[in-house]
Amino acid sequence: MNLYDNAACQENWGASKFKAHLWYNSAQGGAFRNIGYSVYDFGALRPGDGHAHPLRYCYFGASSPWPGSSQNIKNNAASGENTHSKYMARIYYGSGYKKPYQTMGAYQQIDKFTTVYNENASFAWIQP
């Protein structure tokens, strides 16, 4: 699951079993989060405990945290990469997979989102 799995914050994100990667800054800079499954709303994941939890960037840099560390992902993603060999990764402007959206093809990296730059609320894997 995106919320608690250690693969979500695996620093060697290219080797992570989670194949979508979002960064807080442009050009894959600052804090990141690896995403493995479609997310209906970055601001309200429901892991079954009866509560909604925001999906956050991983925390790195104990004495000098990376920009974006522990910040909410919702409306804070500037760049991304899809390391999946088959599926496209789609980041949506609205919660619930609502348009507009930006799509990253297999093995595609986007240094600065245009359509959903810091305006992103959900994510889905799309079959080509």
Side-chain angles (χ1 to χ4, degrees), residues 6 9 17-18 23 37 43 57 64 66 71 80 86-87 91 101 105 123-124:
N6 288 336
C9 291
K17 68 180 180 179
F18 287 2
W23 279 268
Y37 306 95
Y57 286 104
S64 180
W66 295 6
Q71 295 293 315
K86 181 178 177 184
Y87 291 95
I91 299 93
Y101 57 78
F123 167 84

Side-chain angles (χ1 to χ4, degrees), residues 107-120:
Y107 297 117
Q108 184 180 6
Q109 174 179 308
I110 296 178
D111 287 337
K112 184 175 182 181
F113 292 136
T114 54
T115 309
V116 296
Y117 181 82
N118 288 340
E119 294 291 342
N120 49 283

Side-chain angles (χ1 to χ4, degrees), residues 12-25:
N12 183 2
W13 50 264
S16 173
K17 68 180 180 179
F18 287 2
K19 300 299 182 186
H21 318 283
L22 296 177
W23 279 268
Y24 182 77
N25 286 336

Side-chain angles (χ1 to χ4, degrees), residues 50-119:
H51 301 285
H53 301 271
L55 194 61
R56 299 180 185 276
Y57 286 104
C58 303
Y59 187 91
F60 291 103
S63 61
S64 180
W66 295 6
S69 286
S70 297
Q71 295 293 315
N72 291 344
I73 290 176
K74 188 171 187 173
N75 297 328
N76 276 322
S79 59
E81 184 166 6
N82 175 11
T83 55
H84 201 289
S85 62
K86 181 178 177 184
Y87 291 95
M88 295 183 294
R90 186 168 287 167
I91 299 93
Y92 293 85
Y93 182 91
S95 298
Y97 317 118
K98 292 188 177 110
K99 296 179 182 180
Y101 57 78
Q102 187 137 20
T103 303
M104 293 183 289
Y107 297 117
Q108 184 180 6
Q109 174 179 308
I110 296 178
D111 287 337
K112 184 175 182 181
F113 292 136
T114 54
T115 309
V116 296
Y117 181 82
N118 288 340
E119 294 291 342

